[in-house]
Amino acid sequence: MGRQYHLTEAEMGTLRQAASARQARNRQAQSVDRIIARGDPASVLFERDLMGLMGEYALLVKLFGLPYSEDYFVQDQWAKTHDFEINGVRGEIRTRTHARYSFYNLTAQMRSDVGVAAYLVDGKTSTGRVAFAGWLTKATFERHSYVARDRHPGWKGNGYLIHSRHLEPIRTLPEYIRGNVNP
């Protein structure tokens, strides 16, 4: 198990509000309609957004010690943006319900320099417990990723996975980024 963080009820309340704001923006951009058309029930979307925000919050606020800012958290999931940029290093955070296979991406190439694999310790958002399986570079992902459906026939959607053995320990990410970040 990687480094673990327990988010307080106040922090979870803030993230629930951010998840609602993200859904409102996605609804305006018709992104939610695309997800529903893909077959995901609307009731799952809020939990998915909240789960993602929990991973982002745990990395940026808890691990890196950055101040909370709405700018980190309210964005269209279909936007061509990164989850964070610190000292010129752009990153994506993928939060899943379980650690298993770690980092997931829709394409064989990541758009960011690094990827961070996070997961819910208890498999649900309600406990507020997030851990990190590790992180990887864009080059590592491109070298070792595989088509998800090839190894997991029941996988919904298209995309690429990378096994956790290719991840670096999360404690080395601040070192990689090097700068004014206090882990």
Side-chain angles (χ1 to χ4, degrees), residues 2-183:
R3 187 176 257 181
Q4 190 178 133
Y5 296 94
H6 186 236
L7 306 183
T8 66
E9 188 53 43
E11 290 170 322
M12 289 299 295
T14 298
L15 294 179
R16 284 184 196 97
Q17 288 177 343
S20 292
R22 182 177 280 185
Q23 277 204 314
R25 284 190 53 176
N26 287 343
R27 172 88 47 206
Q28 285 179 331
Q30 298 176 335
S31 298
V32 171
D33 296 334
R34 283 184 256 171
I35 294 171
I36 292 171
R38 192 177 71 194
D40 294 342
S43 61
V44 172
L45 298 178
F46 179 81
E47 285 296 311
R48 187 179 296 162
D49 281 338
L50 180 58
M51 180 173 60
L53 290 168
M54 288 170 68
E56 293 170 24
Y57 186 92
L59 183 81
L60 298 171
V61 177
K62 297 288 193 172
L63 179 66
F64 287 140
L66 297 172
Y68 175 80
S69 169
E70 282 293 320
D71 294 343
Y72 298 147
F73 302 103
V74 181
Q75 55 184 296
D76 178 358
Q77 73 177 47
W78 298 97
K80 302 278 190 253
T81 61
H82 309 279
D83 291 330
F84 68 89
E85 183 171 345
I86 301 171
N87 295 334
V89 177
R90 299 170 302 171
E92 299 174 42
I93 304 164
R94 298 287 189 258
T95 308
R96 308 194 55 77
T97 53
H98 300 286
R100 286 182 244 159
Y101 33 79
S102 55
F103 192 82
Y104 172 76
N105 204 47
L106 288 173
T107 63
Q109 287 189 320
M110 289 174 31
R111 66 176 173 240
S112 295
D113 305 312
V114 298
V116 177
Y119 61 95
L120 302 178
V121 174
D122 304 307
K124 53 190 174 186
T125 59
S126 61
T127 64
R129 293 170 21 124
V130 181
F132 294 102
W135 69 279
L136 70 157
T137 63
K138 181 179 190 173
T140 298
F141 182 81
E142 291 168 3
R143 188 172 34 251
H144 297 290
S145 66
Y146 58 89
V147 176
R149 281 190 182 164
D150 288 353
R151 296 191 194 168
H152 311 284
W155 190 268
K156 290 183 182 178
N158 298 314
Y160 296 79
L161 294 172
I162 189 165
H163 194 277
S164 59
R165 71 176 166 264
H166 299 294
L167 297 179
E168 299 292 329
I170 196 67
R171 72 184 180 315
T172 65
L173 181 58
E175 199 176 295
Y176 179 81
I177 292 175
R178 296 206 195 265
N180 299 325
V181 178
N182 298 318

